[in-house]
Every structure is written in C-alpha cells, then in structure tokens.
C-alpha cells in the first residue's frame, strides 16, 4: 500500500493576512481602549507624519529582533460589546515562540464560560476548555493531555471567523530570520504617530502594515497609486463614506485586519487616506493593501513593546510583550509535542531499530487508541485491540460530533473493512454482514487512503516478523528527541521511505515512539491538522479477535 505523503511545512500565504486589518481601523486607533485624553489633549496631539529613515529602520528590525529573542510573554485584551451594548472583554496571557511559530495562551474565565487554553501554529489552532478555575493568568507550562479540539485558523465558527484568529495570525508572522527592507516600508503609507511610554520605557508609536512587504510594489499608472517615497500622498484627509461601505474592518485569517489604539493610538486623521476609493481594490501603497494598519509601540532597541489592532467592527485588541520571562514551550500532541532535533541514528540505535518489529511482535499486542483530528473541525477517537501474531486490528471509530458516523473497523493482512455501528465499544464477537471491504493494495492507488488507513496499516506492519537492515536504517532513520509516555521513557524516531524523499529530517510522514526494550508504544502520522497518535497499552489482557469479518 502506498503511504499518503506527509503534510509539508506550512506556509503562511499573504492572503492569510491580507484584508484582516482594514479601513475603520484608523479612526479606531484614535480612540484607544486605554485612552483617557480629553478634547483639549486631543487637540494638542502631535500631527502624524511619514516615517523617517531611522524610524523605518527600527520598524524593519522588529521582526528580526523577535526572531533573535525567540520567545516573549504576551498579555492582552480583546475588547468588544455584546448584542445589548455591554462591554464584552476577553483577556489572555501566555507566550509566543517566533522561531517555532508557536503561540500558547490562556483566556480568563468569563461569566458563564470557562477559561480556554489555546495553542496555535501557522494555519491551525487547538482549543481546550479548562475543567477547573485557574489560579494563574498564564497557562500551565506543560499543556494538559486530552480534550483538545483542532481546526484550521480562520474557520467560520459558525458563520464567520473568530476575530481572535486574525490576531493570532498577525502575531505568528511577527518574527523573521532576516531584517525587513526599510525602503519598502517607507514606500507605503507608514507613519510616525507620537512618542509614548510602555511600563516606563520610552517608545515611538508607528503605524505600519500587518503584512510586511518583501518586494518592491509594482508601479501603476493610476494617479492614486503612483506616489513613491519622495512623493508620499497626503494622509490627513478624512476617509470617504464610500470607502467604509466597500470594506469593513476586522481581522480575518483569510485576510487580515486593522489595529486599534490604547492610551493614545493612531489618530483619526492618521490613516484616513488608507480608505479605498469606490473601487474594491485598495491603493497598493496603502496599509490596507498589506493587511491593514497596525499600531506598533517600538522602543529604542527596535523591539516592539505593544501592538494594537481592530479585529472587526467594534472589536479591538491590544497585546503587550514582555521579554523578561521566556520559558520554553511544549506543543500539544496534535502539534507534534516537544522540540525535535533530528540527527542520524547511531550504529547502536540502527541495530536496535532493526529488531524493533521482532521485539514488538513478541509483545503480542494490546489495546490501542487513536486521536485523529479531521478537517474542517472533526475529532475521531478510536479504541480497540491489536493482535500482531494474528495480524488483526479491530476497533470502533467514534465521531465525537456525530454518533451517526461511528463505524467499526477491521484490518487484516490483506484487507480493511468498515461497518456502521451504534455500539459504545467494539462488540465481540464481531457482527456479521454489511461490511464494506477494500484491499490494502487498492488504497492509495485506486481509492484514496485516509490517515486512519495509513495508521492501521503501519500499526500492523510494525509487528511483522523478521529484521530490518541496520545499514539501511543508518541511512534513512533519524532520532528526533527523547521523551516520556505515561511515565515510561521513550525515544522518538522517524524512518524515511520513498514517499519521504523530498522531506527534510524531522518532516517524515510517520514517527515511532520506542521504549528501552525496543517495543513501539506510539505511532504518529502527519495530517492536514498537525499530528494524529496511535497509542498501545499492553497492560490489559488481549481478547480473541475476529480473524475476518
């Protein structure tokens, strides 16, 4: 059977962010969430102006410094109103790792709603409701296992994307291994807004794009888009009504939306020229064309201390960054767990892997479970038994969102079969009739192979008799890390096959968690939503499984 190809490293397309931060943001930035300035103070506010070369250089270094610092503590608030016009704020705290593109936060409890644990990587988000109130604002350093639900970032829930998704998308792309080009930033309608302080540290409040440009903007014949750095358009005129009707503000992971203010965020006059004309296509030099305007509070070392954004109509967000506490983050299992440092296996490890199948087969089998997230936001939980000597896997796949889609699964040496089921656990003996069978040889060739198909096929294969060639394993196998599974030490390996030829070390389709005796305890497979796990428990007696159905 051909294995499904691994889910390659995710790429954050500009389209993920473009459009999330839009027009109404500018006016919002003048009425910041923490602003308490009166009319006289507003009148005395400094006039916004284009960035100088030095200021553009600082903004261009922000993402590089984030990447160099690697991690930061983040805290903030998403502020909005409920249908009755009452304040509805969501406060959060946690950490972000820009090198790993991993965010981990906890939201504070709200009336009638538990706190949420949230992890996110480019394109995907995992959410878990907390069982008990937390004594701390930040999440536990080691994320709890189980009950995580995974979905694409920006998935409508239920009718439109969660505004928080857009904020997360912006935060994750705020790190880069290279400095950005200050000339490209000055080519946009970026602005200096004012001097300010954050926790006593002097900062400059700069209005920049959510999506930093990486190549020069193509010139156009349109008078409204032809202004270059030396002929920057006037940004003091008020936004037109037609512009507001054309595009609504909001952070949207299929686009990205604008920033909002705090103490004294961008003033209403600062970005009014960002408003598009009657045409739905914005000026390519406007911030709107690059995800929308974002307020960046940048200190003297070119590090961002605060960021503000307008996520959607009436929903604003502020995020503060603290670099004094930067713990290493552990990703949830659906995101691959701990940090991997791939290296080729040693001669001793290759020899141990060569007898992995023999050692695993000698364990005979056991009870297994699978946690499998499926697009768009489904979660499949599988429980059953594996018998390596009999060459059989028999289980019940539960759809946690719809019991009507539950199925019994029987996998043997030559076929895999499924049957609709209303049972709570796989019945023994297995029911007769109504099974739909497919040959292993047809899966991935004549009919598509699902992630569950691949996992079950591999689970049966790791218990086949015979040894593998340690010399070949020395060329194809990598040790990713040492870990622990249910209190037992394990080493996590990957073995590259022909399907992984284009995959760099650490990115193969399958991972093998092997205990010190050489027995496989967990299999992992890459999916469109991260990773799925098949765990094997040898502590319970193995029943007699049906050889065929």
């Amino acid at each position: 059977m051909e294995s499904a190809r691994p889910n390659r490293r995710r790429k954050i397309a500009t389209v993920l962010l473009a459009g999330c931060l839009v027009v109404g943001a500018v006016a919002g930035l003048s009425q910041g969430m923490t602003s308490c300035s009166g009319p006289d103070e507003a009148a005395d506010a400094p006039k916004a102006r284009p960035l100088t070369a030095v200021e553009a250089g600082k903004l261009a270094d922000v993402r590089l410094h984030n990447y160099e610092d690697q991690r930061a503590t983040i805290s903030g608030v998403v502020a909005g109103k409920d249908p009755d016009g009452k304040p509805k704020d969501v406060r959060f705290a946690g950490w972000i790792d820009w090198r790993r593109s991993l965010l981990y936060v906890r939201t504070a409890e709200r009336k009638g709603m538990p706190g949420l644990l949230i992890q996110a990587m480019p394109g995907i988000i995992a959410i878990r409701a907390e069982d008990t109130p937390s004594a701390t604002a930040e999440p536990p350093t080691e994320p709890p296992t189980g009950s995580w639900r995974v979905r694409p970032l920006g998935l409508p829930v239920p009718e439109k994307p969660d505004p928080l998704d857009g904020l997360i998308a912006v935060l994750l792309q705020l790190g880069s291994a290279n400095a950005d080009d200050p000339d490209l930033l000055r080519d946009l309608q970026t602005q200096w807004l004012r001097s300010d302080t954050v926790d006593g540290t002097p900062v400059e409040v700069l209005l920049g794009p959510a999506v930093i440009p990486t190549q020069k903007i193509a010139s156009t014949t349109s008078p409204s888009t032809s202004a270059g750095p030396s002929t920057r358009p006037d940004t003091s005129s008020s936004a037109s009504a037609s512009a507001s009707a054309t595009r609504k503000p909001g952070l949207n992971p299929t686009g990205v939306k604008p920033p909002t203010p705090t103490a004294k965020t961008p003033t209403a006059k600062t970005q009014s020229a960002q408003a598009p004309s009657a045409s739905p296509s914005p000026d390519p030099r406007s911030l709107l064309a690059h995800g929308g305007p974002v307020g960046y509070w940048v200190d003297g070392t070119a590090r961002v201390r605060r960021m503000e954004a307008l996520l959607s109509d009436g929903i604003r967000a502020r995020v503060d960054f603290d670099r004094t506490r930067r713990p290493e983050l552990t990703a949830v299992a659906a995101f691959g767990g701990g940090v991997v440092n791939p290296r080729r296996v040693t001669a001793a490890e290759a020899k141990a892997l060569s007898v992995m199948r023999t050692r695993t087969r000698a364990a005979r089998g056991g009870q297994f479970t699978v946690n499998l997230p499926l697009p768009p936001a489904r979660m499949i939980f599988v429980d059953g038994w594996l018998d390596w000597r009999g060459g059989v896997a028999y289980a019940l796949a539960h759809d946690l969102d719809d019991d009507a889609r539950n199925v019994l699964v029987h996998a043997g040496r030559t076929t895999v079969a499924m049957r609709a089921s209303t049972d709570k656990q796989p019945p023994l003996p297995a029911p007769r009739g109504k099974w739909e069978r497919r040959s292993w040889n047809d899966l991935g060739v004549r009919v598509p192979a699902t992630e569950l198909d691949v996992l079950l096929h591999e689970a049966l294969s790791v218990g086949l008799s015979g040894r593998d060639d340690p010399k070949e394993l020395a060329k194809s196998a990598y040790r990713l890390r040492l870990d622990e599974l249910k209190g037992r030490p394990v080493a996590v390996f990957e073995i590259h096959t022909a399907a992984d030829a284009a995959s760099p070390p650490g990115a193969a389709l399958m991972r093998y968690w092997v205990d010190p005796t050489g027995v496989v305890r967990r299999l992992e497979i890459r999916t469109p939503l991260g990773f799925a796990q098949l765990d094997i428990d040898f502590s319970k007696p193995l029943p007699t499984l049906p050889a065929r159905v």
Side-chain angles (χ1 to χ4, degrees):
M1 176 182 125
E2 284 213 3
S3 295
R5 295 187 64 80
N7 181 35
R8 305 300 178 195
R9 179 178 176 83
R10 300 177 189 279
K11 297 180 179 179
I12 313 174
T14 299
V15 69
L16 179 68
L17 298 177
C20 281
L21 299 165
V22 275
V23 175
V26 184
L29 290 176
S30 66
Q31 309 294 329
M33 290 181 291
T34 60
S35 177
C36 55
S37 58
D40 293 337
E41 293 176 87
D44 294 336
K47 184 178 180 180
R49 56 166 172 76
L51 297 183
T52 65
V54 172
E55 292 159 351
K58 285 185 178 180
L59 189 55
D61 284 340
V62 161
R63 295 203 305 153
L64 172 62
H65 286 163
N66 284 342
Y67 186 86
E68 290 175 340
D69 293 342
Q70 185 171 353
R71 295 182 294 272
T73 297
I74 58 175
S75 60
V77 59
V78 175
K81 294 182 179 180
D82 64 18
D84 297 327
K86 297 179 180 179
K88 182 181 178 182
D89 295 352
V90 178
R91 297 188 178 276
F92 61 89
W95 306 279
I96 187 168
D97 186 324
W98 283 293
R99 291 190 194 174
R100 295 176 63 196
S101 294
L102 175 64
L103 174 142
Y104 181 28
V105 298
R106 162 188 275 141
T107 66
E109 295 175 62
R110 290 179 287 159
K111 186 176 181 180
M113 293 187 64
L116 299 177
L117 297 177
I118 298 174
Q119 283 205 0
M121 299 186 77
I124 51 177
I125 182 171
I127 302 173
R128 184 185 194 272
E130 292 197 279
D131 302 320
T132 57
S134 171
T136 62
E138 295 164 348
T141 305
E142 192 70 25
T145 60
S147 301
W148 289 88
R149 299 302 298 265
V150 186
R151 62 169 173 79
L153 199 62
L155 180 75
V157 285
E159 293 104 8
K160 58 184 179 180
D162 187 329
L164 186 60
D165 285 23
L167 177 62
I168 290 172
V170 173
L171 289 170
L172 288 173
Q173 62 85 46
L174 206 55
S176 172
N178 301 296
D180 294 304
D181 187 336
D183 290 336
L184 294 182
L185 287 169
R186 295 189 73 203
D187 203 24
L188 304 181
Q189 294 169 0
T190 49
Q191 296 179 342
W192 174 92
L193 300 178
R194 66 177 181 279
S195 298
D196 207 330
T197 61
V198 174
D199 296 330
T201 300
V203 295
E204 303 298 320
V205 183
L206 310 178
L207 196 64
V211 182
I212 306 297
T214 56
Q215 55 187 355
K216 192 169 180 63
I217 301 167
S219 60
T220 111
T221 56
S222 169
S224 64
T225 61
S226 59
S230 60
T231 57
R232 294 170 63 87
D234 178 19
T235 57
S236 62
S237 61
S238 60
S240 67
S242 63
S244 299
T246 303
R247 296 284 295 276
K248 292 184 178 181
L251 261 192
N252 173 354
T254 55
V256 174
K257 297 179 182 177
T260 314
T262 66
K264 301 161 183 174
T265 328
T267 81
K269 293 183 178 181
T270 58
Q271 256 323 72
S272 48
Q274 308 275 11
S277 63
S279 167
S281 297
D283 180 339
R285 298 183 188 278
S286 71
L287 299 185
L288 177 60
H290 297 270
V294 174
Y296 298 99
W297 276 246
V298 183
D299 67 17
T301 66
R303 283 169 170 80
V304 63
R305 293 298 189 109
R306 173 174 292 164
M307 187 191 84
E308 292 196 351
L310 185 65
L311 307 183
S312 64
D313 288 315
I315 301 179
R316 299 170 173 179
R318 183 188 72 240
V319 183
D320 287 335
F321 302 89
D322 178 4
R323 290 169 171 78
T324 59
R325 294 180 300 114
R326 296 180 287 179
E328 185 168 305
L329 306 186
T330 298
V332 295
F335 291 171
V339 178
V340 299
N341 295 295
R343 63 159 174 78
R344 289 196 181 275
V345 295
T346 63
E349 289 167 339
K351 185 177 180 180
L353 284 177
S354 71
V355 296
M356 176 182 72
R357 299 181 193 278
T358 301
R359 297 283 177 85
T360 300
R361 180 182 175 85
R364 188 187 170 190
Q367 189 172 8
F368 77 92
T369 58
V370 175
N371 288 284
L372 174 61
L374 291 178
R378 295 169 58 198
M379 178 63 77
I380 306 299
F381 174 73
V382 182
D383 64 322
W385 301 276
L386 263 171
D387 183 346
W388 283 302
R389 295 181 183 179
V392 174
Y394 178 55
L396 177 62
H398 309 258
D399 188 312
L400 299 187
D401 296 308
D402 186 356
D403 288 343
R405 293 192 285 199
N406 292 354
V407 295
L408 286 170
V409 183
H410 181 277
R413 290 189 173 92
T414 59
T415 62
V416 58
M418 294 189 181
R419 181 187 192 276
S421 175
T422 58
D423 297 292
K424 299 301 181 182
Q425 59 185 18
L428 290 172
R432 295 182 177 275
K434 299 182 180 180
W435 288 89
E436 296 181 12
R437 295 175 181 80
R438 294 173 293 176
S439 166
W440 286 123
N441 292 331
D442 289 339
L443 289 175
V445 180
R446 296 183 180 179
V447 294
T450 68
E451 286 84 0
L452 183 57
D453 290 330
V454 179
L455 263 179
L456 291 176
H457 184 273
E458 192 63 26
L460 291 172
S461 298
V462 296
L464 292 176
S465 59
R467 299 189 177 194
D468 294 306
D469 185 348
K471 292 183 179 179
E472 290 300 318
L473 287 167
K475 299 175 184 177
S476 61
Y478 295 84
R479 198 198 77 174
L480 304 182
R481 67 171 182 263
L482 297 178
D483 212 314
E484 191 175 273
L485 187 61
K486 296 180 180 178
R488 181 184 295 269
V490 293
V492 184
F493 297 95
E494 66 178 20
I495 303 172
H496 285 230
T497 65
D500 301 308
S503 301
L509 175 66
M510 301 294 305
R511 290 180 178 180
Y512 305 83
W513 294 48
V514 184
D515 71 15
T517 68
V519 175
V520 174
R521 295 277 174 169
R522 167 180 283 181
L523 291 171
E524 282 186 304
I525 183 173
R526 291 178 184 271
T527 79
L529 292 178
F531 287 85
Q533 299 79 33
L534 185 152
D535 290 338
I536 307 163
D537 181 359
F538 299 96
S539 65
K540 298 179 181 179
L542 181 66
T544 300
L545 302 183
R548 61 181 60 85
V549 291

